[in-house]
Amino acid sequence: MTAAGLPQRGAELWPGDAQEMLDRQTEVLELMAGATPLPDVLGEILTSLEHLIPDARCSVLLLDRERGTLHHCAAPSLPAEYVASIDGMSIGERAGSCGTAASLNVPVIATDVRTDARWVDFRDLALAAGMRSCWSTPIEGRDGLPVGTFAVYHPQPHRPTPREQLLVDRFSHLASVAIDHAGLLGDLMESEERFRRSFDDNSLGMAILGPDRTVTTSNNTLTRLGARNLVGSALADVVVPKGRSLETRLDELGQGGRGPITFEALLQRGDGRTVEVEVTISLLRGRDGTPAQYVVNVFDLTERRAAESDRRARVEAETARRTAEELVHAKSELLAAVGHEARTPIQAIVGFAEILGTIDLDEAQRREALGHITAAAGHVMDLLADVLDLSRIEANALPLVLEGVRVRDVVVEVFGLLSATAERRQVELAHDLADDVVCADRRRFRQVLLNLVTNAIRHGNVGGRVDVRTRATQEGASVTGASVTGASVVVSVDDDGPGIPQDLLPRLFTPFARADPSSGERAGGGPEDAAHYESVGLGLGLAHGLMRAMGGDLTVGRSTLTGTSMLLRLPRAQPR
């Protein structure tokens, strides 16, 4: 007989123990499968063991590893006062059977708590609860370290038999499985709750689709955005993508492991209105690899569009302000330049008028003075006419008579007008012209050519040559980087002068622009001279504006140390 008065059978189980354990284990696994709370599962395990070990009272304490304390989880037969008194106890080598077992990770048997040194601090509590012996086994976690203790109490001194040890080993392992399962289940439920909270309370519209692409779940934001309950609706009836159809996009999503797709669409609201949205869809596959669910995120673009519109409005307002300031500044510079240009001929007029009024001149001298006054007045009138033309071009109010004009006729006329000027500089005027007819205002076309050929004679080399050529271009061609939208005729005016200063090229068509003398360089480098850096006046700016007004363009085709080529492009006249 043992101290407990039970027959000793070694490590053998009693008849019926195996079936009893199997039945109890089945019941416990069913409880776990049904997500029964851990205290109830462990309570069932302890009750089963108490049924197999007469006079035993069992408990399970869970270990808080961070704090090093044990906490009550299940004790179906222990007095509540005792359970409460040891709840939260610290583990250690003199902390009773359970505290010591958890600390050392070994089973601890206290045959008699009245004489066991490890029970000094807890002896009175145990005796008051009618407990004389306590045997505690660590419950191991997956890492092999204790997650709790499995204790067996008796009301009299007791040492466990091999059978009891075998039973406790089996049931403590079952408790370990239950604790581990509860942890996994708790993590899963916590994760699911986090997902539900992030899904339901998300400020982004969200929905989950079934394999048939109908909405099975939608969050509050999407319900408000759609102004209706979308559950049961086909996504294609709710979201209309811009461009390719939704079905095409979803079919592509499932091909080749392609990731999420994002596109802009219109969301059909329940009140008949539509909302611009950005949609992102991800595919979740089942265990067999087939589409199981679609996760849909819907972002309302209303605020983004409003912000973009506001940003564009602010940029446009700032651009308009800067443009207005630049125009005011440009007008001020233009007026100052015009005033400067007009001052010299006006001073000449005033000077010669004073001479005529104060000095007796012979007839030849009077005619010479009157000639100077007439020339100066003509220069002022030309300057004012150019300013008036520029203002009309800016206001898109320049009167034009567009007609078919033969380029050869205008070039010959211009050469005739400038022949004397060319002879004075010993410049040869030459042309190589096809029989091209352009759509232009004849007088304005002649005015532009007069300006360009005059500049070529003036800035070319003495004894040099000025060439005027034509070539046709087809629709879609490119002329000095500019795309031609229709059949055109390009007229080039080429000289052999030193070229245009590089710093002046970007401002060549700005009235009264001048090169920076400090650069000391021309088109390809070289010495400077005063004439080379004089103001360009109004001529080129006016010529550029006239060409644009006639539907053409004026550009610099080339400017190097060996000469400059100016290109005029005009639409080819349609044959009658």
Side-chain angles (χ1 to χ4, degrees):
M1 299 290 290
T2 65
L6 296 176
Q8 176 69 24
R9 297 192 181 183
E12 297 180 3
L13 295 177
W14 290 0
D17 282 350
Q19 185 63 45
E20 180 75 15
M21 284 194 298
L22 182 60
D23 292 343
R24 296 295 183 174
Q25 181 173 302
T26 302
E27 293 175 2
V28 169
L29 292 177
E30 289 177 350
L31 291 175
M32 292 166 56
T36 302
L38 180 61
D40 295 339
V41 175
L42 292 177
E44 179 64 26
I45 293 174
L46 297 178
T47 300
S48 300
L49 185 60
E50 290 174 352
H51 179 73
L52 292 170
I53 302 177
D55 296 332
R57 296 184 183 183
C58 304
S59 74
V60 170
L61 299 177
L62 298 182
L63 175 61
D64 184 336
R65 291 182 177 179
E66 292 185 2
R67 295 181 174 82
T69 53
L70 291 170
H71 299 271
H72 166 71
C73 185
S77 302
L78 289 179
E81 296 80 1
Y82 176 74
V83 171
S85 64
I86 65 172
D87 188 29
M89 64 180 292
S90 298
I91 64 174
E93 295 185 10
R94 298 179 61 87
S97 299
C98 292
T100 305
S103 176
L104 301 179
N105 194 20
V106 295
V108 173
I109 301 172
T111 305
D112 191 343
V113 300
R114 293 201 309 182
T115 59
D116 195 302
R118 292 166 295 198
W119 276 84
V120 171
D121 296 334
F122 303 95
R123 182 176 298 147
D124 294 340
L125 294 174
L127 295 175
M131 300 293 105
R132 284 289 302 274
S133 69
C134 180
W135 162 31
S136 183
T137 302
I139 302 174
E140 291 186 353
R142 290 190 176 188
D143 56 3
L145 299 177
V147 294
T149 59
F150 196 111
V152 181
Y153 294 88
H154 282 81
Q156 66 279 332
H158 180 79
R159 174 172 291 275
T161 67
R163 170 184 174 271
E164 292 171 346
Q165 290 178 353
L166 184 58
L167 290 174
V168 169
D169 287 344
R170 299 287 177 85
F171 278 89
S172 63
H173 176 71
L174 190 58
S176 173
V177 173
I179 293 171
D180 186 56
H181 177 267
L184 293 176
L185 184 61
D187 291 343
L188 180 61
M189 294 178 66
E190 184 178 343
S191 175
E192 184 177 350
E193 181 61 21
R194 284 198 302 269
F195 168 76
R196 181 146 304 280
R197 291 277 64 82
S198 64
F199 182 86
D200 289 340
D201 302 335
N202 204 307
S203 60
L204 190 69
M206 301 181 70
I208 297 176
L209 312 182
D212 60 352
R213 300 172 180 176
T214 61
V215 180
T216 59
T217 308
S218 67
N219 69 351
N220 299 327
T221 301
L222 187 57
T223 299
R224 288 193 298 270
L225 185 60
R228 56 172 165 157
N229 183 6
L230 299 176
V231 174
S233 301
L235 186 64
D237 296 335
V238 179
V239 172
V240 181
K242 297 179 180 179
R244 293 179 299 131
S245 69
L246 178 65
E247 295 300 325
T248 300
R249 296 175 188 270
L250 291 179
D251 289 342
E252 291 178 354
L253 179 61
Q255 297 174 358
R258 185 177 176 186
I261 57 172
T262 300
F263 55 89
E264 291 188 3
L266 292 178
L267 178 70
Q268 307 291 333
R269 287 170 51 92
D271 56 10
R273 296 192 299 117
T274 59
V275 179
E276 280 192 274
V277 294
E278 182 181 81
V279 181
T280 300
I281 304 179
S282 302
L283 174 63
L284 301 180
R285 295 185 179 276
R287 294 182 179 180
D288 59 357
T290 60
Q293 290 181 324
Y294 296 88
V295 179
V296 182
N297 294 334
V298 180
F299 177 70
D300 186 357
L301 292 176
T302 303
E303 292 185 3
R304 181 189 294 180
R305 291 287 186 262
E308 290 173 351
S309 177
D310 179 66
R311 186 162 53 250
R312 283 196 301 270
R314 284 189 274 112
V315 170
E316 290 172 358
E318 178 64 16
T319 302
R321 182 187 66 79
R322 290 181 180 178
T323 302
E325 290 179 354
E326 290 171 358
L327 287 174
V328 170
H329 181 66
K331 288 182 182 295
S332 297
E333 287 188 340
L334 178 62
L335 289 175
V338 169
H340 176 76
E341 288 287 323
R343 184 179 296 114
T344 299
I346 290 176
Q347 287 175 343
I349 293 172
V350 172
F352 282 110
E354 288 179 353
I355 290 174
L356 288 173
T358 57
I359 301 176
D360 291 330
L361 302 175
D362 58 30
E363 186 63 25
Q365 290 175 324
R366 286 178 60 82
R367 281 198 300 272
E368 182 181 356
L370 288 173
H372 286 303
I373 291 174
T374 300
H379 180 71
V380 172
M381 291 300 294
D382 289 343
L383 182 63
L384 294 177
D386 288 347
V387 171
L388 180 59
D389 283 343
L390 276 176
S391 65
R392 286 173 173 171
I393 290 172
E394 270 193 21
N396 198 26
L398 182 70
L400 295 172
V401 179
L402 297 178
E403 58 182 340
V405 178
R406 193 174 304 278
V407 176
R408 180 190 300 274
D409 295 344
V410 178
V411 171
V412 170
E413 183 180 356
V414 168
F415 277 12
L417 292 172
L418 296 176
S419 59
T421 303
E423 287 176 4
R424 284 195 294 271
R425 288 184 58 83
Q426 300 176 9
V427 173
E428 178 186 357
L429 300 179
H431 61 71
D432 181 9
L433 306 171
D435 195 24
D436 295 304
V437 179
V438 296
C439 179
D441 182 300
R442 183 184 183 89
R443 184 172 71 87
R444 296 300 188 180
F445 182 33
R446 180 181 61 201
Q447 181 180 350
V448 172
L449 275 177
L450 275 169
N451 179 275
L452 296 180
V453 175
T454 299
N455 286 342
I457 296 172
R458 181 181 178 189
H459 296 288
N461 292 325
V462 175
R465 176 187 173 101
V466 173
D467 290 287
V468 179
R469 304 181 179 88
T470 59
R471 72 173 187 268
T473 63
Q474 300 301 318
E475 184 173 358
S478 176
V479 179
T480 64
S483 178
V484 177
T485 57
S488 304
V489 174
V490 175
V491 181
S492 64
V493 179
D494 303 329
D495 65 49
D496 55 2
I500 301 169
Q502 290 293 326
D503 71 290
L504 181 59
L505 285 174
R507 300 173 290 113
L508 187 62
F509 302 120
T510 301
F512 299 106
R514 65 177 65 241
D516 181 8
S518 64
S519 67
E521 295 183 359
R522 297 180 180 176
E528 62 175 290
D529 59 73
H532 192 69
Y533 294 102
E534 66 183 9
S535 164
V536 298
L538 281 173
L540 283 175
L542 178 59
H544 184 263
L546 290 174
M547 291 299 296
R548 299 296 292 270
M550 291 187 291
D553 200 7
L554 172 61
T555 58
V556 180
R558 171 181 58 84
S559 185
T560 66
L561 284 174
T562 59
T564 298
S565 177
M566 302 296 294
L567 302 181
L568 300 85
R569 180 183 59 81
L570 282 169
R572 180 180 294 279
Q574 297 296 327
R576 296 181 179 178

